[in-house]
Amino acid sequence: MLILRAFVNFCKFMRNEWKIFTAVTIGLIINAIAVSYFTIPYRFPDLGVSGLAVLSNYMFGISPAWFIFFGNLTLFAWGWKSLSPRFIIFSSYYVILFSILLPIFSTIKITLPDDRFLAAVISGVLKGISGAFVLHVGGSTGGTDIIAVALRKRYGIEIGSFSVIINLIILGLSLGIVGLHSTIYGVVALYIYGVVIDNTTHSFDRRKQLFIITDNPQNVSAYINNTFNRGATLLHGEGAFTGQDRPIVMTLLDQRQVALLKDYLRQNDTQAFVSICDASEVLGKGFKSWKSL
């Protein structure tokens, strides 16, 4: 009975979270390609548990898949009580599928670039895109994320500070194993990874915030609702000089929608005053889900 109930609950979870599972799957496939073809063949270092896995491969010939699987299994056992069920499900899914894909890709041979710098750039770009897919939907790659989340809940240690320390240690170990040149190329790849993931995640969430001062707020709101299927908020303003009521429509749109709205106002409300600014992240219905945090 308990097994059946657990299975039903899992099916409901999968039905509600299928978009997140799809994004995580795409992200981990891209990351597996980056590690299999643009990290290990060039003896570049990596970060987190994956970084320790590739180092074990360089030193002892151990498949990174085994190290990643059993390393994460150990971390799950250590931090089990501090982790949420959602975090455990997504982390386990990522680790298991990633561990399966690595040996599969290792059997598929492709032509690799001779230029190590080009390989480092490709590695960083692919890992950045992969990380952006996972972070955007609030997924987890397991590994040092498990330690970071557990330490934050138990001792209040900030995740950012922990990540920097642990990854510096891994890079230090890499220097002694793969040498200075490979470590430098690896650092280049990791820098590009950081730039790509930062810009990509911001592009997912970035919107334009508009404040429209108009004498026809209902018409403008109706246009936004009906044309873009977006909400708008009516604010009550007052002209500082005239003392007259000045209704304000506030909304959040993407760049294409902004262009269409400006064209509508140009044709129908030339007395409107519009202020447009960037909103780097938007949370709520119709935008980024609170579940992704």
Side-chain angles (χ1 to χ4, degrees):
M1 190 67 180
L2 289 176
I3 296 177
L4 178 61
R5 186 182 305 166
F7 178 75
V8 171
N9 290 334
F10 180 75
C11 290
K12 290 180 179 178
F13 179 81
M14 288 290 292
R15 185 174 65 249
N16 294 332
E17 305 279 9
W18 69 269
K19 291 183 180 179
I20 299 178
F21 273 101
T22 301
V24 170
T25 302
I26 294 172
L28 71 88
I29 290 174
I30 295 173
N31 192 32
I33 291 172
V35 172
S36 298
Y37 296 126
F38 299 100
T39 299
I40 295 177
Y42 299 93
R43 290 180 64 84
F44 291 158
D46 204 353
L47 299 180
V49 171
S50 179
L52 295 175
V54 297
L55 289 181
S56 69
N57 176 260
Y58 300 152
M59 294 178 64
F60 309 114
I62 300 173
S63 170
W66 289 109
F67 192 100
I68 289 172
F69 180 79
F70 286 106
N72 277 279
L73 191 64
T74 302
L75 293 176
F76 275 126
W78 173 77
W80 184 265
K81 294 182 179 180
S82 301
L83 307 176
S84 68
R86 187 177 186 275
F87 181 91
I88 293 172
I89 290 173
F90 280 113
S91 298
S92 301
Y93 174 73
Y94 190 101
V95 168
I96 292 171
L97 189 54
F98 190 69
S99 300
I100 293 173
L101 287 177
L102 283 182
I104 292 176
F105 285 140
S106 67
T107 63
I108 303 173
K109 305 302 180 183
I110 66 172
T111 302
L112 300 174
D114 295 327
D115 190 331
R116 300 188 79 199
F117 181 77
L118 177 59
V121 171
I122 295 173
S123 173
V125 170
L126 290 178
K127 290 177 181 177
I129 294 173
S130 166
F133 267 102
V134 176
L135 287 178
H136 176 63
V137 298
S140 170
T141 61
T144 52
D145 286 353
I146 299 171
I147 305 175
V149 171
L151 289 178
R152 184 178 63 178
K153 289 188 176 181
R154 292 179 183 180
Y155 309 112
I157 298 175
E158 287 299 323
I159 291 178
S161 301
F162 169 80
S163 298
V164 170
I165 293 171
I166 192 68
N167 287 320
L168 283 176
I169 293 173
I170 293 172
L171 287 177
L173 293 173
S174 302
L175 182 62
I177 295 171
V178 303
L180 179 61
H181 287 172
S182 291
T183 301
I184 291 175
Y185 282 121
V187 170
V188 169
L190 297 174
Y191 173 78
I192 294 172
Y193 156 80
V195 172
V196 172
I197 196 173
D198 185 53
N199 285 278
T200 304
T201 51
H202 284 174
S203 67
F204 280 139
D205 299 325
R206 187 175 291 121
R207 294 292 187 274
K208 294 292 183 181
Q209 185 178 55
L210 291 85
F211 290 93
I212 308 159
I213 302 174
T214 174
D215 292 327
N216 305 292
Q218 299 301 331
N219 292 340
V220 173
S221 299
Y223 177 80
I224 294 171
N225 296 155
N226 298 329
T227 306
F228 309 131
N229 195 30
R230 287 294 182 198
T233 300
L234 296 180
L235 307 175
H236 299 285
E238 180 181 326
F241 180 73
T242 64
Q244 295 179 348
D245 289 338
R246 298 291 288 162
I248 303 170
V249 180
M250 191 278 285
T251 189
L252 291 148
L253 305 173
D254 62 34
Q255 188 63 57
R256 181 188 63 84
Q257 293 167 340
V258 170
L260 293 174
L261 178 59
K262 288 195 293 185
D263 187 61
Y264 168 82
L265 294 173
R266 180 183 61 81
Q267 297 182 44
N268 299 279
D269 193 354
T270 55
Q271 299 303 310
F273 181 89
V274 183
S275 172
I276 304 173
C277 57
D278 288 324
S280 60
E281 186 175 20
V282 184
L283 293 162
K285 186 177 180 181
F287 296 96
K288 187 176 181 179
S289 171
W290 285 101
K291 292 182 179 180
S292 65
L293 297 181

